Amino acid sequence: MKRLGFWAAIAIAFLLGTAPARAEWVEARTHHFVLVTDSDRAAARAFATRLEQFDAALRQLYGIPDNPDLHSRPVTIYALAPEQFFKVCGCPGVLGYYARPLTGPRIIAISDPKADRKLKLGDLHSQALMLHEYSHHFMLTNFPGAYPYWYVEGFAEFNANVDFKEDGSIVLGYPANYRGSALLGGSSLPLRRLIAPEQFGYGENVNLTYGRAWLLTHYLMLRPQRAGQLDRYLAGIRAGQKSFAAAQAAFGDFAALDDELDAYMKSDLAPPLRIPAAAAAPELRIRPLSAGETDGLEVWLTMKDGVAKGYRKGFALKAERAARKHPDDAAAQVMAAEVSFMAERFSEAEAMADRALELDPASDRAMLLKGRLAVQKALGAAPGDLAGWSAGREWFVRANRANPQSVEAFYRYFGSYAWAGAKAPGAAGQGLMRASVLAPESEQIAVSLALQKLREGEGRAAQSLLVPLASAPHRPRDDNVAQKIIDQIDAGETKEALAALLLLEAKVRGPY
């Protein structure tokens, strides 16, 4: 998530003051993205094309081949007008964020192209915010292993400031000028604290941390006197070295590099990189959202990322009213059913899921919800009554048949055994493995699979699944549960590790 403090306040005032009138809602689908925006078709097509060009440029720059396996799970970007974003988000100081639920990765962000056109490259564009968040997704799904906080954010900041050229090429690596006040404000962040905050202390100024991370990434990527050092540092991290040791081996004298960075910050920066256009234009399909989807979108998005329990019923009632307005719209019924499920209005959710299946018998979303509703009944049943669990599994299998790449169907089918205290059959374990391939970014799947691997005596496999969680940049600093479990496995404390991993799995699992 992107927290921007003072700069956010300026950007919010600017964006709200210039927000243009919006058009109808459309969905533009490509191999790597589903863009949902209220825009005319030509603008949506151009927007989605730029997103695909950005993905292709990152693949060229970092040598990452495309993975057709992941085309079944594109990241959905909800590009919202500023006033609607703040209604949905309810998060002051945030202009966009990335989430990775079972249903699929998504970015919810402000989009204001008219305001962007009035800004200069390197200013705080809504486009830069969105590309920053997509860079996080790109790293999680394409780079093996885990990376330290400074590089996760430096990578995203370095990539996000780009210029799209008419010939399809991209110029990448413009300065992040919106970090200028933090970098030039007189405060310092020594390299050792940026590289290894766990050892030397976290910086309290987030803008300065992001700015210094961008500056170091920019310098190492573009200045020839340090060529190859970033690759050596990352290779050390992948080999299991701690960040500080890997940095010492790759960068040498920290004081010298600190001085170089200070001088670089005050001098002419290295020119950005021009990435040629991809060989082929992206495949792209556009459709208008139905009236029912449009009416239900705002409340559905708001509930998806959390509403306090006392307020959920009100949101569910809004969603149910929208569904009643569109009784023949299967998508509207599913959206409202999901909102009602989150508000624990299970009878209403079931009625709408049933209606969605009448309208669209192939709706895997409705099938998944039916399975979850059956599991809810199982949780309230008498001990030994397995009918609800069996009914839930049948729905999860049906959802898998309707959509063989459904990560949620694999995960919930496996969970229907694990959460019932039963031994999962081999097919369920294989499904969970497949889910981890299709959703390498998913914390829920990684933890469930780590637990299964540890139960099977594969401690090293469990550790490798937990390493990205232990290194997650926004994890709680004082309670690194994943790292503690990794250390317990190293120490041969398997029972303790299993107990801790069970608690962690229950925490990240979320509602059944």
Side-chain angles (χ1 to χ4, degrees):
M1 189 177 288
K2 196 173 182 70
R3 301 183 183 278
L4 297 168
F6 173 74
W7 284 99
I10 294 175
I12 289 166
F14 180 78
L15 291 167
L16 285 175
T18 60
R22 311 290 280 212
E24 67 171 346
W25 284 93
V26 295
E27 175 192 281
R29 183 177 291 268
T30 68
H31 283 322
H32 303 101
F33 300 92
V34 177
L35 171 67
V36 179
T37 182
D38 51 341
S39 164
D40 63 69
R41 289 185 175 224
R45 180 177 293 277
F47 193 162
T49 298
R50 288 196 301 275
L51 290 171
E52 277 292 335
Q53 288 170 339
F54 182 67
D55 176 86
L58 294 186
R59 293 183 188 283
Q60 285 190 60
L61 180 58
Y62 298 106
I64 303 293
D66 194 14
N67 181 358
D69 230 5
L70 300 183
H71 292 178
S72 64
R73 194 173 165 85
V75 60
T76 300
I77 294 182
Y78 295 95
L80 307 179
E83 63 274 14
Q84 187 165 44
F85 173 82
F86 294 118
K87 284 182 187 178
V88 165
C89 183
C91 42
V94 174
L95 301 180
Y97 58 96
Y98 167 62
R100 39 196 174 130
L102 284 174
T103 49
R106 62 176 175 265
I107 294 167
I108 300 179
I110 281 177
S111 174
D112 198 340
K114 186 175 180 180
D116 282 355
R117 286 193 291 272
K118 296 180 180 180
L119 297 171
K120 297 177 182 177
L121 283 166
D123 290 342
L124 188 57
H125 291 70
S126 64
Q127 173 183 280
L129 294 166
M130 208 172 294
L131 299 184
H132 175 109
E133 299 303 336
Y134 181 67
S135 294
H136 285 322
H137 177 72
F138 187 88
M139 174 180 275
L140 281 168
T141 52
N142 291 290
F143 289 2
Y147 295 93
Y149 179 23
W150 80 266
Y151 183 63
V152 170
E153 297 302 343
F155 175 86
E157 290 283 270
F158 177 78
N159 295 329
N161 291 284
V162 305
D163 187 18
F164 292 90
K165 298 299 185 181
E166 289 186 7
D167 65 356
S169 65
I170 288 179
V171 182
L172 182 150
Y174 283 96
N177 291 331
Y178 49 87
R179 302 296 178 193
S181 63
L183 285 168
L184 298 170
S187 299
S188 63
L189 182 62
L191 192 62
R192 70 177 188 277
R193 291 185 68 190
L194 181 68
I195 294 290
E198 298 88 354
Q199 291 174 248
F200 300 105
Y202 286 86
E204 296 304 318
N205 185 333
V206 175
N207 278 332
L208 179 58
T209 299
Y210 277 46
R212 200 73 175 173
W214 164 79
L215 185 69
L216 178 57
T217 305
H218 199 275
Y219 188 64
L220 295 172
M221 285 286 291
L222 299 181
R223 278 299 189 191
Q225 57 264 45
R226 292 278 179 174
Q229 291 189 0
L230 181 57
D231 286 341
R232 288 198 291 276
Y233 168 73
L234 296 176
I237 295 290
R238 287 192 292 269
Q241 287 183 287
K242 297 292 187 184
S243 179
F244 188 66
Q248 282 184 312
F251 305 148
D253 182 10
F254 276 23
L257 182 51
D258 260 326
D259 289 343
E260 288 175 36
L261 284 177
D262 288 340
Y264 186 59
M265 175 178 64
K266 297 171 185 175
S267 66
D268 291 336
L269 299 180
L273 300 169
R274 190 179 191 104
I275 314 294
E283 296 179 24
L284 198 152
R285 288 175 288 143
I286 294 182
R287 71 170 182 93
L289 263 61
S290 68
E293 288 174 296
T294 299
D295 283 354
L297 183 64
E298 186 176 297
V299 68
W300 181 82
L301 278 177
T302 306
M303 279 290 280
K304 274 291 181 186
D305 283 313
V307 169
K309 196 166 186 177
Y311 295 92
R312 292 176 193 169
K313 181 179 178 181
F315 281 90
L317 291 172
K318 287 182 184 177
E320 289 162 17
R321 283 197 295 272
R324 285 195 294 273
K325 282 173 58 182
H326 307 280
D328 296 325
D329 187 328
Q333 301 302 310
V334 169
M335 290 169 73
E338 289 171 347
V339 171
S340 294
F341 181 88
M342 288 183 274
E344 298 183 3
R345 289 169 61 81
F346 298 129
S347 296
E348 291 80 1
E350 185 138 33
M352 288 181 288
D354 286 338
R355 177 59 180 159
L357 286 169
E358 288 177 18
L359 297 167
D360 180 9
S363 172
D364 61 307
R365 284 174 61 183
M367 294 173 194
L368 287 165
L369 196 56
K370 288 285 289 184
R372 296 181 71 188
L373 287 160
V375 167
Q376 285 296 322
K377 293 173 184 175
L379 292 170
D385 184 352
L386 304 180
W389 293 109
S390 296
R393 285 176 202 132
E394 288 177 14
W395 280 112
F396 299 143
V397 168
R398 286 181 62 179
N400 173 258
R401 288 175 182 155
N403 178 6
Q405 304 285 55
S406 171
V407 165
E408 187 174 359
F410 286 130
Y411 176 82
R412 295 200 182 282
Y413 180 71
F414 177 87
S416 70
Y417 291 96
W419 306 329
K423 181 177 173 59
Q430 291 167 9
L432 189 63
M433 286 286 291
R434 178 61 179 161
S436 74
V437 171
L438 294 171
E441 81 288 347
S442 172
E443 181 181 27
Q444 290 165 284
I445 292 168
V447 171
S448 286
L449 189 56
L451 179 59
Q452 181 70 4
K453 290 297 181 185
L454 192 56
R455 282 171 168 160
E456 294 171 353
E458 297 183 36
R460 292 297 174 203
Q463 285 177 312
S464 68
L465 288 159
L466 294 172
V467 164
L469 279 68
S471 303
H474 298 296
R475 62 167 174 76
R477 294 174 185 171
D478 57 349
D479 189 23
N480 194 337
V481 175
Q483 186 59 54
K484 289 175 184 176
I485 296 170
I486 290 169
D487 294 342
Q488 287 171 329
I489 296 172
D490 269 337
E493 299 170 357
T494 305
K495 288 184 179 179
E496 293 82 355
L498 273 170
L501 197 44
L502 274 167
L503 292 174
L504 180 61
E505 192 274 340
K507 181 180 179 180
V508 304
R509 176 198 311 153
Y512 290 94

